[in-house]
Amino acid sequence: MAASLIGRHFLIQSRNRRSLTLKFRLKYSSAVQAVSNEDVESLYPPVKPRFPPGNWTSMTEEEAWTRYEDMQEMTAVPTAKERLEKLTKKQMRAYRFPVTNKSVRVLEFQKNVTKSHLIKGLPNIYDSLQVDSSIVEKIKPYIIEVLLLEKERLFRSKFRDIHRDSLILRNLIQTLLPLLYEHNTALRTSQVDEEVDIKGFWDRSGFKRVMWYDAAMERPKEYRIKYANDVRFQTAHVCDVSIRTEDPLKEFLPIDDELCVNEDFPVLEYHPKVFGTSKTDREKSQLTPGYNFGDPCEFGLVSFHNTVWLDYQRRKYGDAVTEEMRQGMGLTASFTWLLAQAYSQGFNSLLDVTYPMTTQTVLSDGRKMSFFAYQLNTIDMLKNNIANPRQNICWYTDETRLYEKIEDGKVIGFNDETCETLLKFLLMKPERRNINMKPTLPAESLEILSQTEFISRNPLDLSTETN
Amino acid sequence: MSHFTKNLIGKYIPLWKRKIPKYPIYWKGDPQLRVFLPLFWMKLLKPKNKIPSDRVQFEVHPQMSTMDVKNYLEKIYKVPVTDVKFATHQGEPIEHPLRGSVVTREDDKKIAFVVLGEGQTFEFPGIFDKPSDTGKQMEDYKVENRRIERANQKLWDKLSLPPWFR
């Protein structure tokens, strides 16, 4: 305190307007010793740095600090279920982001909101994985049997197209899986579900939202409305068949690859209203990957969805528009499933994914098949492109037919290539990685302790195995 | 009586506001129905927010359907259309000047959101934009004003005459 008075001028004004300037100069005595900063008890708290540790190029200082404090609070929560409950406590209005989006020319919007990049063709792993022709020949008669059953022999004419095609898919997979156990050991300890509810929500920056507004005229106009620069999207979908395994799929590309990083991701200038989105009511956002958190099989292998609605759109709009809708469907379906799986590992929009997660999806109606592979590199969409340059990648193929016609108890024009790719998807072997799959959760979290391997490695072994 | 009918009793209704009469039933073999002055109309709107270049907004006769809008654009103006969607905006209320209570409402509007096809684009022309470069115009205006003021000061005693005689 005393050191600040050296060399300072004090101006004193009296009532009679006589200004007096006084100079104070303090002289040190030799008895005074130098004082270090550490020993002095400061009366004021230390100066807060402008930005917290990390990369925050797009946000203001206030937003960055609130975000950092939210992250600290979230890491203190021990289980993934409690983290979800904390995030969904506040009731919010979200924009609906359907998987079966019936509005026209919406693909750019879908790509921007999920921050994903479309690539034609499947990743390189599928070239190296070769399916023996002996397997195809062994399985071919079973597929033909299923198709003839569903299309000719069984009485399915009273059902609607949607139910008929979902039944074909279910029947196909129920017959195929037992035949492939010897080739893929992971299928023995996998879980197969039908009519799975898949829901997910996430926040995306770049769109304006009103946080609150004050209708009273007391404040000046600038302070009457507060805007936030992010918006919540919500998806809800019912998947026909999903197969889940204990170990995750291999990653298709390393996370430092060129395609996974893109600082020039295009920014969308238009409001979601323009693309035909509707808002939900003020309600709690919902997220389910199709299983309860703590399930032994937490990672998805394949999911099957039916595409009957695309035939109706093709009649209305033609081929070019439905092609975009098909690509959008595969993209959003795989994205939401991966998002929900990431939440089960303890990640969320505040705590970003540390390793890439992957799935495979198949869209078919029994005859036409299209294959998608997706790699999730980020969930954090609140940050700028420069702060978070990662992007997600979606690989897609053209629509190919399994067969041409079914006539008089015979399948005409059976396509072996689509059969091969289908089997490649099912024979893909998941791999246990040497990383901690739940790095953000504390080591003694109850979820990890309670997760049991109740599916025994040898199903035919009748002796009870307990951990 | 509702405010819709109150506004229309004893008044001349312009053609574009009239209700479309019911079409006669068509039986097979009848001659094609011909309408020589259809009551359909479409008015281009300037979008308040930014929209992509292949989308257009129109205000439309309230009894038009999606097929009507599509055929109107494709057959008369040869513009390809992929999709049409509608929204009806309720008319704004007209309030009593003293009491402040709502007396009637303006008519409802039907708005069509059209997505063009085959790579066509459209941008609303800048007719109603304010001129960005008003600097030069303002200067010329000021100079002219000053000249007129000086002239009026000189001929202060002849201001009652028209300018030609001053």
Side-chain angles (χ1 to χ4, degrees):
Chain A
M1 280 264 270
S4 64
L5 295 173
I6 295 167
R8 265 195 116 158
H9 295 260
F10 283 88
L11 186 76
I12 300 165
Q13 273 184 328
S14 63
R15 280 184 192 175
N16 298 333
R17 289 196 184 177
R18 252 183 270 152
S19 61
L20 302 166
T21 56
L22 302 169
K23 272 189 196 177
F24 286 106
R25 275 179 201 268
L26 293 172
K27 287 178 187 172
Y28 282 136
S29 65
S30 55
V32 173
Q33 288 167 3
V35 170
S36 66
N37 284 335
E38 290 166 12
D39 296 348
V40 170
E41 276 182 19
S42 58
L43 295 168
Y44 304 101
V47 174
K48 216 177 182 183
R50 242 180 116 210
F51 281 104
N55 202 351
W56 313 93
T57 45
S58 66
M59 296 170 154
T60 60
E61 293 94 331
E62 263 184 54
E63 291 170 355
W65 273 109
T66 47
R67 175 75 190 274
Y68 186 71
E69 278 153 25
D70 288 340
M71 275 164 77
Q72 302 292 304
E73 280 176 34
M74 195 56 73
T75 46
V77 179
T79 57
K81 197 175 175 186
E82 285 172 17
R83 284 183 182 181
L84 222 201
E85 280 170 13
K86 195 175 173 181
L87 282 169
T88 56
K89 212 177 181 182
K90 188 182 166 194
Q91 291 184 346
M92 266 179 83
R93 294 191 81 187
Y95 282 104
R96 288 201 187 96
F97 197 73
V99 169
T100 58
N101 202 337
K102 286 163 190 170
S103 4
V104 164
R105 297 241 185 85
V106 174
L107 188 63
E108 290 294 324
F109 172 65
Q110 285 175 329
K111 275 159 73 176
N112 181 282
V113 167
T114 56
K115 211 175 181 188
S116 52
H117 179 62
L118 271 178
I119 300 174
K120 190 150 185 193
L122 289 172
N124 293 329
I125 282 180
Y126 292 97
D127 297 334
S128 55
L129 181 82
Q130 285 196 345
V131 176
D132 278 342
S133 53
S134 61
I135 300 172
V136 176
E137 280 173 23
K138 193 179 98 177
I139 283 163
K140 204 168 152 181
Y142 290 96
I143 296 176
I144 288 167
E145 180 79 16
V146 166
L147 290 168
L148 291 172
L149 256 183
E150 292 284 338
K151 292 277 174 178
E152 293 219 314
R153 292 179 210 157
L154 289 175
F155 185 62
R156 296 276 196 236
S157 61
K158 278 212 165 180
F159 289 0
R160 282 178 64 198
D161 345 8
I162 300 164
H163 305 311
R164 259 185 270 166
D165 294 339
S166 62
L167 285 168
I168 292 171
L169 286 173
R170 285 192 224 174
N171 213 338
L172 252 182
I173 288 147
Q174 280 169 11
T175 49
L176 282 181
L177 278 180
L179 299 165
L180 298 170
Y181 283 163
E182 55 184 323
H183 303 294
N184 192 354
T185 51
L187 290 174
R188 294 181 215 174
T189 53
S190 66
Q191 292 196 352
V192 181
D193 294 318
E194 292 165 359
E195 275 193 60
V196 189
D197 268 337
I198 295 171
K199 297 179 188 174
F201 70 89
W202 70 101
D203 296 315
R204 177 78 170 114
S205 75
F207 305 111
K208 230 173 164 187
R209 165 173 70 98
V210 173
M211 273 179 89
W212 50 257
Y213 71 94
D214 190 10
M217 307 289 264
E218 290 166 1
R219 294 189 225 207
K221 205 175 180 185
E222 311 142 18
Y223 303 107
R224 248 185 269 156
I225 302 179
K226 189 171 183 198
Y227 290 105
N229 198 29
D230 56 85
V231 139
R232 187 164 276 193
F233 290 94
Q234 168 89 54
T235 58
H237 184 60
V238 174
C239 165
D240 277 322
V241 184
S242 75
I243 303 173
R244 289 179 280 117
T245 53
E246 289 173 321
D247 300 324
L249 270 183
K250 293 177 211 167
E251 52 185 46
F252 300 134
L253 288 175
I255 207 162
D256 304 322
D257 199 67
E258 275 178 352
L259 288 170
C260 298
V261 173
N262 187 5
E263 285 192 4
D264 298 325
F265 200 83
V267 174
L268 205 67
E269 303 156 343
Y270 313 117
H271 198 264
K273 238 199 296 184
V274 170
F275 300 101
T277 52
S278 58
K279 264 188 178 173
T280 60
D281 291 330
R282 257 188 93 209
E283 59 190 18
K284 292 187 180 183
S285 311
Q286 292 174 0
L287 186 135
T288 50
Y291 55 85
N292 290 320
F293 289 178
D295 204 88
C297 294
E298 282 185 332
F299 300 101
L301 185 76
V302 203
S303 64
F304 293 83
H305 309 258
N306 78 27
T307 56
V308 171
W309 69 287
L310 283 175
D311 295 336
Y312 293 104
Q313 308 302 318
R314 193 168 283 126
R315 270 181 250 161
K316 259 198 211 174
Y317 302 119
D319 284 331
V321 169
T322 47
E323 174 65 24
E324 287 191 354
M325 286 181 173
R326 182 187 67 92
Q327 289 171 18
M329 185 185 178
L331 201 154
T332 50
S334 28
F335 175 77
T336 48
W337 204 27
L338 280 170
L339 189 80
Q341 284 173 36
Y343 270 73
S344 76
Q345 303 301 309
F347 302 116
N348 45 43
S349 56
L350 296 169
L351 303 167
D352 203 2
V353 168
T354 52
Y355 53 84
M357 302 179 77
T358 51
T359 40
Q360 306 166 103
T361 52
V362 178
L363 308 181
S364 82
D365 63 352
R367 186 171 169 228
K368 295 174 212 162
M369 295 215 154
S370 39
F371 303 96
F372 289 76
Y374 199 95
Q375 171 156 328
L376 188 81
N377 295 320
T378 47
I379 292 179
D380 187 2
M381 319 256 188
L382 285 167
K383 284 187 179 175
N384 206 0
N385 286 336
I386 299 163
N388 184 16
R390 291 195 207 154
Q391 62 173 1
N392 308 321
I393 310 173
C394 182
W395 286 270
Y396 71 98
T397 61
D398 280 335
E399 229 175 22
T400 50
R401 294 181 196 167
L402 242 193
Y403 62 91
E404 294 289 326
K405 273 193 266 182
I406 292 179
E407 267 180 1
D408 301 331
K410 280 179 200 169
V411 171
I412 298 163
F414 193 86
N415 194 347
D416 284 335
E417 282 178 19
T418 48
C419 190
E420 260 191 62
T421 43
L422 219 197
L423 293 173
K424 271 189 196 178
F425 269 45
L426 290 168
L427 293 172
M428 194 74 183
K429 288 186 187 172
E431 205 180 58
R432 187 163 282 202
R433 300 186 199 176
N434 290 325
I435 356 166
N436 187 3
M437 300 309 279
K438 304 183 185 185
T440 51
L441 291 174
E444 303 117 7
S445 110
L446 292 168
E447 250 178 23
I448 293 167
L449 293 174
S450 69
Q451 191 175 354
T452 54
E453 293 185 7
F454 63 80
I455 302 170
S456 61
R457 296 279 156 195
N458 293 322
L460 297 173
D461 186 11
L462 295 171
S463 66
T464 51
E465 292 176 15
T466 52
N467 275 2
Chain B
M1 280 187 287
S2 69
H3 65 271
F4 299 108
T5 46
K6 248 191 201 171
N7 281 343
L8 303 172
I9 287 170
K11 281 192 187 176
Y12 170 73
I13 306 160
L15 279 173
W16 59 276
K17 264 193 186 178
R18 286 192 197 170
K19 204 172 156 184
I20 290 167
K22 282 188 178 177
Y23 297 141
I25 288 171
Y26 175 77
W27 296 98
K28 195 177 173 182
D30 283 357
Q32 173 74 48
L33 176 72
R34 310 257 168 212
V35 181
F36 291 104
L37 192 68
L39 297 172
F40 286 156
W41 55 266
M42 290 175 69
K43 177 186 168 188
L44 251 184
L45 292 178
K46 184 177 182 182
K48 289 178 197 171
N49 303 316
K50 240 184 155 182
I51 54 173
S53 53
D54 59 348
R55 285 163 207 253
V56 196
Q57 293 177 8
F58 293 98
E59 197 197 327
V60 139
H61 190 283
Q63 278 178 286
M64 280 175 91
S65 66
T66 49
M67 296 305 295
D68 291 329
V69 170
K70 199 173 174 195
N71 286 332
Y72 192 100
L73 285 172
E74 282 183 345
K75 294 191 175 167
I76 301 172
Y77 290 99
K78 317 279 192 283
V79 171
V81 166
T82 47
D83 192 29
V84 179
K85 283 197 171 148
F86 285 123
T88 38
H89 291 168
Q90 202 184 34
E92 282 180 15
I94 298 165
E95 293 170 355
H96 196 275
L98 288 177
R99 287 175 234 150
S101 54
V102 172
V103 175
T104 55
R105 280 191 183 275
E106 293 193 20
D107 293 330
D108 297 347
K109 289 183 190 177
K110 190 175 204 178
I111 298 183
F113 303 97
V114 174
V115 181
L116 302 172
E118 292 173 21
Q120 282 239 338
T121 57
F122 179 79
E123 276 193 44
F124 198 87
I127 297 166
F128 304 111
D129 294 342
K130 287 178 189 169
S132 56
D133 194 17
T134 53
K136 210 210 158 198
Q137 268 186 359
M138 288 300 284
E139 279 172 24
D140 292 347
Y141 181 69
K142 279 181 190 168
V143 162
E144 187 64 26
N145 258 3
R146 239 181 276 136
R147 193 187 67 73
I148 290 165
E149 271 177 32
R150 287 235 183 104
N152 284 350
Q153 280 169 4
K154 258 194 197 172
L155 309 164
W156 60 271
D157 51 347
K158 293 168 190 167
L159 286 177
S160 55
L161 291 172
W164 197 86
F165 299 100
R166 283 185 202 158

